[in-house]
């Protein structure tokens, strides 16, 4: 059974640009959550999608957005990139609410903003 | 003050030692997760707890809801256990998840 796949693994972008990251969950999983990890702040929750609907959202500015498709694949987008957006972005999939079911993480996308 | 606090931040031990990592939280939670992160970034979910105790191999996780405290224990530690261990709490108030800062564990052979 394939795990959670995130693409790309590494990305370098320039300040002001936008970026789209992709996450393919484990087959049958309908919940996809996104997280940002930085050395200073650690892991922080971005948002959670379930059956194409955003079910929960963390405390990030509107520049951070996401969506989920009918096949449960999810994308997150960051517009007008800032240097502070450099981070490891992780997604996790689960059958249902992450509070109730085991989450499986992807390897992450390491974004560097220069 | 962070709502989820982990201790210690760093821990170095000899192979075979019994390891304890602590996680305290100050808010109402519906579940607590223990995660393991190896160099390179990949995260593995070790346990999900809402009460009591769970065991998987050499790993044991406990939670005391009244005291708002959870512990992760590793018996007969091995160098391959070297990783960052992170606790994560699902909040009752808004179902969001917040993370501890992590404990960096290094097991010496």
């Amino acid at each position: 059974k394939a795990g959670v796949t995130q693409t790309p693994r590494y990305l370098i972008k320039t300040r002001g640009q936008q970026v789209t990251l992709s996450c393919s969950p484990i087959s049958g999983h309908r919940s996809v959550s996104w997280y940002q990890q930085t050395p200073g702040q650690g892991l922080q929750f971005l948002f959670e999608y379930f059956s194409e609907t955003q079910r929960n959202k963390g405390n990030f500015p509107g520049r951070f957005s996401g969506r989920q498709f009918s096949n449960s694949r999810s994308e997150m987008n960051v517009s007008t990139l800032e240097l502070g957006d450099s981070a490891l972005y992780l997604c996790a999939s689960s059958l249902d609410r992450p509070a109730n079911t085991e989450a499986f993480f992807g390897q992450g996308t390491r974004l560097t903003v220069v | 003050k962070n709502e989820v606090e982990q201790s210690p931040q760093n821990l170095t031990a000899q192979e075979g030692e019994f390891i304890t990592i602590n996680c305290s939280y100050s808010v109402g939670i519906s579940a607590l997760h223990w995660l393991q992160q190896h160099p390179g970034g990949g995260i593995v979910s070790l346990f999900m707890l809402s009460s009591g105790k769970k065991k998987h191999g050499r790993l044991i996780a406990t939670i005391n809801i009244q005291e708002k405290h959870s512990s992760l224990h590793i018996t007969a530690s091995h160098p391959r256990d070297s990783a960052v261990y992170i606790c994560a709490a699902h909040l009752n108030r808004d179902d969001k998840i917040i993370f501890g800062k992590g404990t960096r564990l290094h097991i010496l052979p």
Side-chain angles (χ1 to χ4, degrees), chain A residues 35 37 40-41 43 45 56-58 88 90 97-103 105 107, chain B residues 30-31 33 35 37 40-45 48 86 90 94-97 99 101:
Chain A
Y35 305 92
Q37 187 177 36
Q41 298 297 319
L43 271 164
F45 169 68
N56 211 336
K57 188 177 186 305
L88 179 67
L90 291 152
R97 289 175 65 233
N100 293 342
T101 55
E102 185 179 5
F105 286 79
Q107 288 294 105
Chain B
S30 56
H33 294 248
L35 310 173
Q37 186 171 32
I43 290 180
V44 174
S45 175
M48 183 178 66
I86 302 167
H90 281 271
D94 54 16
D95 208 29
K96 289 185 171 58
I97 182 169
F99 297 87
K101 294 293 187 190

Side-chain angles (χ1 to χ4, degrees), chain B residues 39-75:
Chain B
I43 290 180
V44 174
S45 175
L46 298 174
F47 294 102
M48 183 178 66
L49 293 162
S50 54
S51 65
K53 176 180 174 177
K54 287 189 176 180
K55 184 176 189 293
H56 182 70
R58 295 179 296 106
L59 302 178
I60 303 166
T62 64
I63 188 167
N64 185 317
I65 299 296
Q66 286 72 31
E67 294 186 6
K68 291 187 163 58
H69 181 267
S70 177
S71 293
L72 176 68
H73 305 286
I74 305 174
T75 62

Side-chain angles (χ1 to χ4, degrees), chain A residues 51-88:
Chain A
S51 293
E52 302 179 66
T53 300
Q54 186 181 88
R55 199 155 58 170
N56 211 336
K57 188 177 186 305
N59 300 323
F60 278 79
R63 299 186 297 108
F64 291 81
S65 63
R67 58 179 176 168
Q68 188 180 32
F69 302 95
S70 58
N71 62 358
S72 292
R73 189 178 72 85
S74 177
E75 289 181 346
M76 68 162 281
N77 184 77
V78 188
S79 62
T80 321
L81 283 165
E82 300 176 1
L83 296 178
D85 297 333
S86 295
L88 179 67

Side-chain angles (χ1 to χ4, degrees), chain B:
Chain B
K1 187 182 184 300
N2 292 331
E3 292 173 307
V4 176
E5 297 275 1
Q6 273 187 251
S7 64
Q9 285 188 3
N10 295 283
L11 179 57
T12 298
Q14 290 293 137
E15 182 174 358
E17 285 190 39
F18 181 82
I19 303 298
T20 296
I21 299 170
N22 297 298
C23 177
S24 296
Y25 51 93
S26 56
V27 291
I29 69 168
S30 56
L32 186 133
H33 294 248
W34 281 100
L35 310 173
Q36 179 194 57
Q37 186 171 32
H38 280 284
I43 290 180
V44 174
S45 175
L46 298 174
F47 294 102
M48 183 178 66
L49 293 162
S50 54
S51 65
K53 176 180 174 177
K54 287 189 176 180
K55 184 176 189 293
H56 182 70
R58 295 179 296 106
L59 302 178
I60 303 166
T62 64
I63 188 167
N64 185 317
I65 299 296
Q66 286 72 31
E67 294 186 6
K68 291 187 163 58
H69 181 267
S70 177
S71 293
L72 176 68
H73 305 286
I74 305 174
T75 62
S77 59
H78 190 276
R80 66 175 174 265
D81 297 326
S82 298
V84 176
Y85 293 83
I86 302 167
C87 69
H90 281 271
L91 307 179
N92 278 336
R93 65 172 184 248
D94 54 16
D95 208 29
K96 289 185 171 58
I97 182 169
I98 55 174
F99 297 87
K101 294 293 187 190
T103 295
R104 189 172 298 275
L105 175 65
H106 187 200
I107 303 296
L108 301 171

